[in-house]
């Protein structure tokens, strides 16, 4: 089966492509480097020829609600429209645990993405997952230098590869709308994760924990981004990920 992977060159997308190929499927990468602009829709129809299912793991980095909504709504509509033209029978998308409980601008775009899928013409599945093990690294790398500003936040991080494996199982099964949340094996404090990452890298930076103001900060430091019901749990812990992926001294 030909399965289009929107954002197939990204962190999770690369794993999704690998897992689809390992499962005997034919992944089709939708990305600018492959001649497809998901924002404008350019090149999408040609790439979608013969596609029967879609996995959307496209992403952008922003804290702006306006930019996030515009991106995720636009990409989702382009994918759904192109999918309808070729008869796609299942559209699976990756979302985030807690986006309806934490008022971050980026999350408003993910909520709009879910709304577009719910109102679209194609049977769909949405998987909400917690932050990846790479999240602490992404936070630290956004602002290089001697000072590391890290938000106070409780999370239950999961391995990106395990997220990809779960997405592939879902897209190859019948659509189920909102799938049970996927999370990692244990709850962590993001500030602690950042400290352990810096130690593993042998980096000396002044770490400044910051609690975001108002209801958003309260939700982040509480249970706003933790799963609230039963669902699959990954097996790899953050410390195991560190040992496997972080080069000592690098």
């Amino acid at each position: 089966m030909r399965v289009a992977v929107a954002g197939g060159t990204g962190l999770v997308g690369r794993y999704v492509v690998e897992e689809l190929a390992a499962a005997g499927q034919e992944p089709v990468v939708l990305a600018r480097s492959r001649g497809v602009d998901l924002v404008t829709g350019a090149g999408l129809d040609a790439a979608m020829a013969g596609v029967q299912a879609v996995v959307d793991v496209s992403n952008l980095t922003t804290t702006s609600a306006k930019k996030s909504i515009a991106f995720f709504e636009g990409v989702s509509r382009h994918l759904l429209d192109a999918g309808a033209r070729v008869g796609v029978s299942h559209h699976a998308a990756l979302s985030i645990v807690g986006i309806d409980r934490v008022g971050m601008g980026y999350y408003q775009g993910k909520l709009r993405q879910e709304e577009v899928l719910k109102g679209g013409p194609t049977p769909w599945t949405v998987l909400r997952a917690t932050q990846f093990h790479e999240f602490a690294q992404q936070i630290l790398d956004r602002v290089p230098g001697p000072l590391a500003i890290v938000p106070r936040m409780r999370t239950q991080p999961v391995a990106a590869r395990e997220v990809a494996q779960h997405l592939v199982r879902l897209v190859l099964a019948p659509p189920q709308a909102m799938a049970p949340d996927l999370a990692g094996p244990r709850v962590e404090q993001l500030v602690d994760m950042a400290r352990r990452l810096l130690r593993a890298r042998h980096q000396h930076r002044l770490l400044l924990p910051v609690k975001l103001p108002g209801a958003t900060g309260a939700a982040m430091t509480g249970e706003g981004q933790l799963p609230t019901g039963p669902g699959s749990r990954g097996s790899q812990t953050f410390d195991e990920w560190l040992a496997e992926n972080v080069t000592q001294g690098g």
Side-chain angles (χ1 to χ4, degrees), residues 156 158 162 166 180-186 227-235:
Q156 196 165 329
V158 64
E162 291 181 315
H166 204 72
D181 290 348
L182 173 64
R186 65 178 63 163
T228 58
S232 297
R233 300 293 178 260
S235 61

Side-chain angles (χ1 to χ4, degrees), residues 27 57 67 69 85 117 130 132 160 169 187 201 212 221 247:
V57 289
K67 290 180 180 179
I69 290 170
R85 288 191 286 271
L117 294 188
T130 52
F132 310 137
R169 287 194 293 269
V187 176
R201 287 175 160 183
L212 296 186
T221 56
T247 302

